[in-house]
Amino acid sequence: MVRTMETLLGLPPMNNNDALAPLMGPMFTGPGDQRPFAADYANRENGLIYTAMRRRRWERGSLRR
């Protein structure tokens, strides 16, 4: 990622790791016929994803009355 930023800004590589790293540009080029991302909402709808956040709020006292 650093190599790509350096190239976009016209800067020389900072070290050999940057100089030998491949550019990320080819990942963003091509025909653009990739299928769209399909989200999985199973955990959002069953409420399990929010239990840790609720527990933290309860322990801090912000959910107690």
Side-chain angles (χ1 to χ4, degrees):
M1 184 167 82
V2 173
R3 167 77 192 277
T4 302
M5 292 188 313
E6 290 168 343
T7 303
L8 290 172
L9 296 172
L11 300 172
M14 291 188 286
N15 54 37
N16 281 341
N17 290 332
D18 291 345
L20 300 174
L23 292 173
M24 292 174 41
M27 290 188 345
F28 301 107
T29 60
D33 59 355
Q34 294 85 7
R35 60 186 180 91
F37 177 77
D40 178 12
Y41 295 108
N43 284 332
R44 184 186 74 173
E45 292 171 359
N46 67 17
L48 293 177
I49 198 166
Y50 300 109
T51 57
M53 185 172 50
R54 282 191 211 128
R55 186 175 301 128
R56 259 185 271 139
R57 286 183 187 164
W58 176 261
E59 290 169 356
R60 283 190 315 208
S62 59
L63 290 178
R64 295 180 188 161
R65 294 180 185 176

